[in-house]
Every structure is written in structure tokens, then in C-alpha cells.
Amino acid sequence: MNGLNRRQFLRGSLAAGAFLATPLSRVLGANDAIRLGVIGVGSSVKIGGMGKKEIRAFLQKPGIRFTALCDCDTAHLMPQIEKLRDHNPGIKAYTDMRELLDDKNVDAVIVTTPNHWHALATIWACQAGKDVYVQKPTSHTIFEGRQMVEAANKYRRIVQAPHGPRERTGFGEAFAYIREGKLGKVLYAHGLNYKPRPSIGKVNGPQPIPSSIDYDLWSGPADKRPLLREYLHYDWHWDWNTGNGDLGNMGIHYMDGCRWGLGQDTLPRHVMSLGGRFGYEDDGETPNTQIIFLDYDPAPILFEVRGLPKSKDRRTDNWRASDMDAYNGVQIGTIIRCEDGYVTGRSGGGAAAYDNSGNLIREFEPTNPDLRTNFLEAVRSRRAGDLNAPVLQGHLSGALVHLANISYRLGKETAPDDIRERIEGEKALTDSFDRFLTHLDANGIDLTKTPIRMGPMLTMDPGQERFTGAFGESANMLVSRNYREPYVVPDEV
């Protein structure tokens, strides 16, 4: 790496424009391959890794070549490098993303790190003159998402922030059908994430960091803490320091679907969340069962997360999707409820409209390209407006996750009767809470021993993306985070 650039990175001075001298983009001819780098190859005992998934998917696209991979765990990095030797014998391996970003043979990067690295990796990439395809959730905090938008705009980069509904699902066509008034007035959007989430176990003290990992690089912008769970990888989702719970892991896709379905391009006026980590005692911090209410005008978003199965007898060592509850035939997806019917969009694709009796009205076929193809086309056209999932949309949907989790984290243990009294008047929310209680009862949860945490109804200034009113000061402390030098998301990108 060039010495000057390295010092600028380490001083955290990219905000001063360390890469302003870098060409905005290599001029691509029609036959020129787009040279891709991957930041965060990823792998674990539990799941194959998003980076490996993206490599497989992009390899199916014409006109690309992988030129570099980066992962701070060499046990994950080097096997993928060897697998790609046939694709590109000269592919380079990096453990520090700053070195990959200084590689002139990389045009665009795919960011598949843990959540706490998404923003800084994207901002650094924009400053280095690279386009970015950054995985969900776009950011780890509200502040970070806005800074990513600013960096993409300032450095004129193509930044795609993919969510499942914006793939070739038919969701967009279904939402257009609603906006034409085919089902009457929109009443509310309902998101569901009923996904099996067993315990991650409980350890007695700090665990050893595998020797293959540079743990300082892995921790990056997050606090560098002892490892207090069995697995470093993947289970970081359930640690507030690095993850955003299942709402930010899987639920984010259909939170995006809810906001998209309502046609909202701002943040809501109010947010409230309640829930808990029920059914087991483990090293996870985030809730496995959660209800979120986002107060948009004229129609709100109601979102539910469930990690436990239908009943206690289904809670085996490895329960599956078939053991989970469903609502209106949906386990994971989005429902847009209207006066004269509703539209459903499910995980994996498939959108349809129904009348209020549940009779199918029509199904919707997708007309858009997949998001990877769309990204590559925008990289060539240099038109950010061509993106189907631009970073601004990723920021707004990610911010809904953060709003909900902030309310939850500020919450207090509250009795069910008191909760019901506080939410009285919001019928959809009350119905959701009643089903929530039935679900917990079926799982044998004693709420006197594991009480529900109910967060305050927070007030948001959508334009400023800051909280106001009661609890505003405490909530605003969670809009951003403290950073470790030199891994600082700058106030000025």
C-alpha cells in the first residue's frame, strides 16, 4: 500500500478527502470486465457465509472478474482464494480491507462483513473510487446509514443496498397494483419474520480467539471485547455491539417491503417496540420475540419477529420452518392490508392479491432484473438512478430496524395488562399482542419469571433523523456509537 494513503487511513483522516485524487472510475468499454473484490468472505459452523454466496452468484454474471478477496480470518480467506484460481490465477488475498481498497485492479467491492463494518467499509470504498454492493442491513446505526448516503453522493459512486423484496419477486408489481387503488384505501403494512432461532448456548467465561483471526480487524469500529459466546462467527448477530438481532438479520428484508409497499421515503413520526428473549437463557442479548409499531401517516407498519416454534413440544434441538407459526399463510414476508383485500409477498418470491375472504384475485410476475445484474448495469452506465435498491433506500429501511431496537433497549419490564392498556386504540397492534401472548403461552413461557420488555413510544423528527420529546435524549445516544481509532465513521465523509 502507498505509504501516504496508509498513514491517512490509520489517522482516520479519510474525511479530509484522502482519495479525492483517485479517478472516479475506470472507463469501461463494452467488452471490459468489471473487476470485483469481496470484503468479508465469511464462513462458520452454522452457515456457509454471505460472501461465498455472493461469489457464487456473481460468477454466473457475464462481464465480471474477481481480482481480490479480503477476510481477517485466513481460515476463511485462503480456501476461497484457491477455489477462484481457475477463474483468475492472479487473484489477490488481503486480510486488511484498506489494502484491497488501494488495489487499482478493483473497480467495485461486495461488502459482506458483520453489520458493524458495513458503513465504514462502504465509506472507505467510495473514497477509494470503488462502487459498492453492500449487504443488509445497510448500516449498524442510523448515523452510519446517513453517512453512507452522503459518501455515495459526494464521491459519485454506485452503491446498491439489496433487500429480498426488490429482487425478482413480483413485490413491486403488487405494490403498484395497490397504489392504483385496486384494493381501496391502505390500512397498514404487516411484516412477519417467523424463523427458527435456537439457543446459542452459554459459556462460563471468555473464549479463545482462533489463531487464524486478526481480532482487532474483526472488531473494527465496534468495542474490542472478550469473546463471551461459543462462536465468534454468525452469532455476532445477537450481540448489540456488532449485530441488530433478527429484526436486522432476516426481518430487515420485509421491513423494507413494508415501507416500500406504503410508498414512504422518510422515517416515521413515532416508534414503539416490545418483546424479549424467551424460552432459553443463553449468551444472546437481542430479542427472539418482538413486536414493532412504526407510526406513519396515513398508514402504519406493524412488524413481528418470532424465533420460537408453534409450541413447546416443537422446541427440539433443531426445529425447522414447518414447526413455526404462520399468519395469513405467511411465515416470512409482507402483507399490505387494504379496505377491500390485501397483498402478500413471501420470502423467496411470490406476490399475490386476495379479497377480504382470502380468495385469490391475481398473482404478480416480476418485470425487473435481479439486483446483481442491475448493479453491474449501473456500474457501466454510471447512473445511480438506474439502481433498484440504492443506498438511500437501504438506509431508510435499516433505520426502521434501528428505531425499533432503540425503543426496545430503552424499555422496562411491564405486565401484560399494563401493555394492553397502553396500546388500546390500535386494533392491529392489540390483535398482534394477543397472538404474541398466545404464542408465548404455547411455548410454556412464565412471564412472571421472564417479563416482557416494553419500550417507550418515541417521537422522531424525520427530517433531522433525531428523536425529540420524552426519552429523546436517551434515544439520541443510540443514534450513533463510540468508535475505536482508527476505525471511525467520520462526521464529514
Side-chain angles (χ1 to χ4, degrees):
M1 175 177 275
N2 177 283
L4 176 62
N5 285 346
R6 178 65 170 178
R7 288 196 299 274
Q8 288 170 325
F9 268 123
L10 293 176
R11 290 172 185 166
S13 63
L14 284 171
F19 282 104
L20 284 176
T22 302
L24 285 176
S25 67
R26 178 172 63 107
V27 178
L28 291 169
N31 297 319
D32 289 335
I34 296 172
R35 301 170 300 183
L36 298 176
V38 179
I39 300 175
V41 173
S43 182
S44 75
V45 173
K46 296 186 176 185
I47 196 165
M50 189 59 72
K52 293 198 292 186
K53 175 183 175 182
E54 292 297 349
I55 290 170
R56 290 194 299 269
F58 272 97
L59 280 172
Q60 305 303 311
K61 305 300 177 186
I64 67 98
R65 184 169 77 255
F66 284 102
T67 54
L69 303 182
C70 177
D71 199 295
C72 59
D73 188 342
T74 57
H76 296 169
L77 174 63
M78 297 316 297
Q80 288 303 302
I81 287 288
E82 293 307 316
K83 286 183 179 180
L84 287 172
R85 292 290 188 200
D86 289 341
H87 168 75
N88 178 11
I91 192 168
K92 294 181 180 179
Y94 297 103
T95 56
D96 189 328
M97 73 176 70
R98 292 167 292 191
E99 296 178 356
L100 181 149
L101 293 174
D102 204 39
D103 188 333
K104 306 307 180 192
N105 289 314
V106 175
D107 300 313
V109 294
I110 303 163
V111 177
T112 55
T113 62
N115 298 0
H116 66 286
W117 258 115
H118 286 183
L120 194 54
T122 298
I123 292 167
W124 280 356
C126 290
Q127 292 170 328
K130 318 295 186 189
D131 297 316
V132 186
Y133 187 93
V134 57
Q135 265 297 335
K136 53 75 185 174
T138 302
S139 63
H140 188 244
T141 68
I142 297 171
F143 164 76
E144 290 181 354
R146 177 51 62 182
Q147 298 310 93
M148 295 165 79
V149 174
E150 295 299 319
N153 291 339
K154 179 175 180 178
Y155 297 98
R156 303 197 293 278
R157 307 319 306 163
I158 303 298
V159 182
Q160 183 94 294
H163 294 119
R166 296 179 192 254
E167 284 286 3
R168 288 181 49 79
T169 58
F171 277 46
E173 291 74 12
F175 297 157
Y177 179 83
I178 290 172
R179 282 191 281 276
E180 291 171 1
K182 302 292 188 180
L183 295 177
K185 179 182 176 181
V186 175
L187 302 179
Y188 64 95
H190 192 172
L192 300 123
N193 182 47
Y194 294 176
K195 186 174 180 65
R197 292 298 182 194
S199 169
I200 65 171
K202 193 166 182 66
V203 300
N204 295 322
Q207 302 299 293
I209 305 297
S211 60
S212 60
I213 298 173
D214 184 324
Y215 191 52
D216 187 74
L217 286 175
W218 189 93
S219 299
D223 294 336
K224 188 178 178 182
R225 299 175 179 173
L227 177 59
L228 295 174
R229 58 180 183 272
E230 185 175 359
Y231 299 113
L232 172 66
H233 297 296
Y234 197 73
D235 288 343
W236 53 261
H237 280 292
W238 328 127
D239 185 336
W240 292 122
N241 186 43
T242 50
N244 303 95
D246 215 22
L247 183 61
N249 182 25
M250 186 68 184
I252 175 60
H253 292 299
Y254 302 98
M255 185 69 85
D256 179 69
C258 287
R259 187 181 61 80
W260 188 20
L262 294 182
Q264 292 286 355
D265 279 330
T266 185
L267 299 186
R269 303 169 299 176
H270 304 97
V271 58
M272 185 279 295
S273 179
L274 61 87
R277 194 166 183 87
F278 300 108
Y280 42 72
E281 184 179 351
D282 67 0
D283 291 316
E285 296 180 324
T286 63
N288 65 5
T289 312
Q290 192 174 7
I291 296 175
I292 299 95
F293 181 79
L294 296 155
D295 181 28
Y296 277 111
D297 182 24
I301 293 175
L302 174 67
F303 204 96
E304 301 179 32
V305 173
R306 293 187 190 179
L308 297 178
K310 296 177 182 178
S311 58
K312 187 176 182 179
D313 62 290
R314 302 279 190 118
R315 207 159 70 231
T316 60
D317 290 339
N318 187 27
W319 65 85
R320 301 182 180 183
S322 58
D323 297 309
M324 302 300 290
D325 286 323
Y327 182 73
N328 276 124
V330 178
Q331 287 184 319
I332 300 176
T334 298
I335 302 169
I336 308 296
R337 182 73 65 174
C338 305
E339 284 181 316
D340 301 324
Y342 57 95
V343 159
T344 63
R346 294 176 174 82
S347 174
Y354 300 85
D355 65 22
N356 283 325
S357 297
N359 298 309
L360 177 67
I361 298 173
R362 63 168 292 183
E363 295 177 312
F364 300 91
E365 295 296 326
T367 57
N368 59 298
D370 70 87
L371 292 179
R372 296 176 187 91
T373 297
N374 176 237
F375 172 67
L376 296 172
E377 290 174 345
V379 168
R380 290 188 180 279
S381 74
R382 307 310 307 157
R383 294 191 297 266
D386 291 347
L387 292 171
N388 289 339
V391 66
L392 175 60
Q393 298 303 319
H395 160 57
L396 292 173
S397 291
L400 300 189
V401 168
H402 308 324
L403 291 174
N405 283 336
I406 288 170
S407 174
Y408 174 83
R409 293 176 71 180
L410 293 178
K412 295 181 179 180
E413 296 179 355
T414 308
D417 287 347
D418 291 337
I419 294 174
R420 188 176 284 106
E421 182 178 348
R422 288 171 63 179
I423 64 176
E424 187 178 19
E426 287 290 346
K427 184 178 185 306
L429 178 57
T430 302
D431 290 346
S432 175
F433 182 62
D434 288 341
R435 291 187 292 101
F436 169 97
L437 294 178
T438 300
H439 169 69
L440 293 180
D441 183 63
N443 275 276
I445 306 303
D446 184 344
L447 294 177
T448 63
K449 295 180 179 179
T450 313
I452 302 167
R453 176 189 290 266
M454 183 177 188
M457 183 71 79
L458 299 173
T459 300
M460 165 65 54
D461 179 336
Q464 296 298 315
E465 297 185 352
R466 300 283 292 179
F467 293 96
T468 63
F471 303 97
E473 183 176 354
S474 297
N476 282 326
M477 292 178 68
L478 296 174
V479 166
S480 185
R481 70 176 305 158
N482 295 321
Y483 294 101
R484 295 191 313 124
E485 293 283 354
Y487 312 108
V488 179
V489 175
D491 291 331
E492 296 290 337
V493 297

